[in-house]
Amino acid sequence: MERREQAVVRVPSLDGVTRERFLRDVYPRREPVVLKGMELGPCTTKWTVDYLSEAAGSKEVKIHVSAVPQMDFLSKNFVYRTLPFDVFVRRAAEVKHEDYFLSEDEKYYLRSVGEDVRKDVADIRKQFPGLAEDVQIPEYFEKEQFFSSVFRISSAGLQLWTHYDVMDNFLIQVTGRKRVVLYSPRDVPYLYLSGTKSEVLDIDNPDFEKYPLFVKAKRYQCYLEAGDVLFIPAMWFHNVISEEFGVALNVFWKHLPAECYDKSDTYGNKDPTAASRAIQILDRALKTLEELPAEYRDFYARRMVLRIQEKAYTNDYG
Amino acid sequence: MERREQAVVRVPSLDGVTRERFLRDVYPRREPVVLKGMELGPCTTKWTVDYLSEAAGSKEVKIHVSAVPQMDFLSKNFVYRTLPFDVFVRRAAEVKHEDYFLSEDEKYYLRSVGEDVRKDVADIRKQFPGLAEDVQIPEYFEKEQFFSSVFRISSAGLQLWTHYDVMDNFLIQVTGRKRVVLYSPRDVPYLYLSGTKSEVLDIDNPDFEKYPLFVKAKRYQCYLEAGDVLFIPAMWFHNVISEEFGVALNVFWKHLPAECYDKSDTYGNKDPTAASRAIQILDRALKTLEELPAEYRDFYARRMVLRIQEKAYTNDYG
């Protein structure tokens, strides 16, 4: 099979963007941007492994542990384990482990959560109050729009699958380097979703036999250095590789009026209620079509697709 | 702009197909076929202009009259007029007219209808009982499946727009020659429908700027000679040019159980009730999506399309 090339677009970087400029020129465009030279507080210099271990201590954290760098949500090639925070940070920062769960070169990943994951959102000010003092979050949104602040720590090499969130997002890279690949919400037909996640795990060497349309997905890419902030608009797919051990904090906030969101959502990845309802109603329409034989169902399904494209797509049919 | 070529497929012909063979080998494939050598009765030799005029007399008929050969349902470049049948047949058979409505070379088209078009289907046995005796309709379906029999007479050159019907159809070419172009129901995304009709009127020289996807529609084509019967399965699009003055009869019959069809349908072109209901339900889903801003609506519309393709399309996503 011939080598197929995907289009690659560099995510633009902007330096020293003020709140005013962000809200006027960047935010309404609904496209990812790397914000450089932001005032993030002392975290960028203070957050060494020793300091983090000291500051957060032995508080227990639930982490992902994976024997391979590329986590796979389909085959579940990782496990959840609990460790004291200081032990976890040291393990995440080292490449070979003396103590380990799966293998001596296993990878670690923390995504902080609320006290009760079913009810509470992650908020660094509550779960890691000592560390929260070191961070100045760029508050480029109104206080009531705040949804959650998620502390993330990864081993070098760890790759998180491509997924989307329903909230707007500042990914604040405090220490370490990350490569982030993004895809537009428009390219959802080419991403082979399972829920909010793409089944195409190996985006650098995809299986085009299995995922032939993936070649059409336009790849946006950027490298985040310590101190960079990536704006990820709601529904933009992102795939993250931690090229070095690193600590990040991300802030999710509501772009839509608060009542649009699912009240039970603590992760920021449940579809807005109007979207969920629309999909439920669609399922009733598809149930009705089942009364017809396959060739009729196929024909009217195609007509329904045309109707959706005509009525609900923006601009083109791309 | 470069010349773009559409794929052309010849509609297969079969000779002397019995009812048994049709039902076993042809009908289940749901694809158009030209049936040759069918026993159609004396109509094929008897139906001259003089004979038709004599047999049907001066019964009034409502006809389409068009100043140009290519009828356009969008710009409505034709008018409806009423004439005595014998006068109409003579006019349809001649190229230049002494008496006319629009122009001396106007074209005529009769599509027979029931006594009350809102309640009664066309049935040649009722509207033209004298002529009905001359035709032996190939009854390759059960009596209770019969829907309508439509008498069609066209001037040489007249072209009827591409459309689909919801009933199965034998187009019996009694006299004259027709070119019929067909498109599969699967190609509906490329046909720019308005209701049951394609907006692409000039299929031989289409406006690819306006209808760029039309190039993807696979063109099936056949020429019907006097005595040929074309099987057009429900939902197959067809475009008909009468290359000569000609008389045809077509028989529509129900492929689905009777209760699947719209009881108020006298033309055989109202979608099965399950399909209409599904589209109505879809419209409620789209109404719900309207609560969201454009980029969210677009994203969830695309997800809905993927859901339809996954759940209701047959085989591929073509």
Side-chain angles (χ1 to χ4, degrees), chain A residues 90-113:
Chain A
R90 292 201 179 278
R91 289 228 203 144
E94 69 195 11
V95 173
K96 291 235 165 167
H97 316 292
E98 268 184 33
D99 290 327
Y100 53 82
F101 298 105
L102 305 171
S103 62
E104 61 175 10
D105 60 353
E106 64 192 17
K107 311 289 179 192
Y108 293 81
Y109 174 56
L110 165 71
R111 187 259 188 234
S112 71
V113 292

Side-chain angles (χ1 to χ4, degrees), chain A residues 51-110:
Chain A
Y51 178 83
L52 291 166
S53 305
E54 180 75 24
S58 59
K59 172 190 168 81
E60 291 213 318
V61 286
K62 197 178 168 192
I63 51 174
H64 297 63
V65 182
S66 175
V68 295
Q70 194 170 70
M71 287 197 292
D72 179 346
F73 68 94
L74 293 167
S75 73
K76 279 270 157 63
N77 65 352
F78 55 89
V79 295
Y80 294 101
R81 291 290 181 269
T82 299
L83 279 179
F85 182 82
D86 51 357
V87 175
F88 154 70
V89 172
R90 292 201 179 278
R91 289 228 203 144
E94 69 195 11
V95 173
K96 291 235 165 167
H97 316 292
E98 268 184 33
D99 290 327
Y100 53 82
F101 298 105
L102 305 171
S103 62
E104 61 175 10
D105 60 353
E106 64 192 17
K107 311 289 179 192
Y108 293 81
Y109 174 56
L110 165 71

Side-chain angles (χ1 to χ4, degrees), chain A residues 52-309:
Chain A
L52 291 166
S53 305
E54 180 75 24
S58 59
K59 172 190 168 81
E60 291 213 318
V61 286
K62 197 178 168 192
I63 51 174
H64 297 63
V65 182
S66 175
V68 295
Q70 194 170 70
M71 287 197 292
D72 179 346
F73 68 94
L74 293 167
S75 73
K76 279 270 157 63
N77 65 352
F78 55 89
V79 295
Y80 294 101
R81 291 290 181 269
T82 299
L83 279 179
F85 182 82
D86 51 357
V87 175
F88 154 70
V89 172
R90 292 201 179 278
R91 289 228 203 144
E94 69 195 11
V95 173
K96 291 235 165 167
H97 316 292
E98 268 184 33
D99 290 327
Y100 53 82
F101 298 105
L102 305 171
S103 62
E104 61 175 10
D105 60 353
E106 64 192 17
K107 311 289 179 192
Y108 293 81
Y109 174 56
L110 165 71
R111 187 259 188 234
S112 71
V113 292
E115 282 68 27
D116 179 341
V117 291
R118 284 168 308 177
K119 290 185 195 157
D120 305 311
V121 297
D123 187 342
I124 191 174
R125 292 169 299 192
K126 290 177 186 160
Q127 289 95 40
F128 300 92
L131 292 172
E133 287 176 11
D134 299 331
V135 193
Q136 184 182 325
I137 292 174
E139 294 201 345
Y140 284 11
F141 47 87
E142 301 295 326
K143 280 214 163 25
E144 58 272 25
Q145 290 178 275
F146 174 83
F147 178 73
S148 67
S149 53
V150 182
F151 197 34
R152 296 184 197 264
I153 299 180
S154 312
S155 294
L158 192 99
Q159 182 170 22
L160 184 60
W161 47 73
T162 308
H163 68 284
Y164 74 92
D165 302 294
V166 301
M167 303 285 171
D168 284 347
N169 186 355
F170 273 159
L171 174 54
I172 302 165
Q173 189 66 19
V174 182
T175 66
R177 178 179 155 94
K178 276 202 179 98
R179 188 197 76 179
V180 185
V181 172
L182 302 107
Y183 302 96
S184 163
R186 296 199 152 229
D187 282 349
V188 63
Y190 317 134
L191 296 177
Y192 300 88
L193 284 210
S194 171
T196 59
K197 310 174 188 76
S198 168
E199 292 185 4
V200 186
L201 294 168
D202 193 352
I203 60 169
D204 296 298
N205 189 22
D207 182 344
F208 284 124
E209 296 283 342
K210 197 168 175 189
Y211 308 114
L213 299 176
F214 185 68
V215 75
K216 295 189 179 189
K218 193 197 272 184
R219 178 182 177 126
Y220 291 75
Q221 186 168 294
C222 60
Y223 290 89
L224 299 181
E225 310 288 343
D228 289 347
V229 175
L230 173 61
F231 169 52
I232 307 176
M235 301 173 305
W236 274 76
F237 294 87
H238 43 289
N239 180 294
V240 181
I241 294 186
S242 295
E243 300 202 323
E244 301 167 352
F245 162 74
V247 181
L249 176 70
N250 81 282
V251 187
F252 286 123
W253 74 93
K254 298 166 191 159
H255 171 234
L256 302 175
E259 64 272 19
C260 293
Y261 296 99
D262 187 325
K263 298 276 176 293
S264 71
D265 186 12
T266 59
Y267 282 91
N269 61 9
K270 290 197 182 173
D271 295 320
T273 54
S276 308
R277 274 185 285 127
I279 290 165
Q280 276 170 18
I281 297 171
L282 172 66
D283 282 349
R284 291 210 295 276
L286 292 174
K287 195 83 196 159
T288 301
L289 269 197
E290 281 176 22
E291 296 172 25
L292 296 168
E295 71 269 26
Y296 290 80
R297 204 160 61 232
D298 181 276
F299 177 67
Y300 289 103
R302 283 170 205 261
R303 295 210 62 176
M304 283 167 66
V305 163
L306 291 169
R307 200 168 182 89
I308 294 173
Q309 290 172 333

Side-chain angles (χ1 to χ4, degrees), chain A residues 164 255 271 296 300 303, chain B residues 164 255 271 283 296 300 303:
Chain A
Y164 74 92
H255 171 234
D271 295 320
Y296 290 80
Y300 289 103
R303 295 210 62 176
Chain B
Y164 74 92
H255 171 233
D271 295 320
D283 282 349
Y296 289 80
Y300 289 103
R303 295 210 62 175

Side-chain angles (χ1 to χ4, degrees), chain B residues 133-149:
Chain B
E133 287 176 10
D134 298 332
V135 193
Q136 185 182 323
I137 292 173
E139 295 202 344
Y140 284 11
F141 47 87
E142 301 296 327
K143 278 212 163 26
E144 57 272 24
Q145 291 178 274
F146 174 83
F147 178 73
S148 67
S149 53

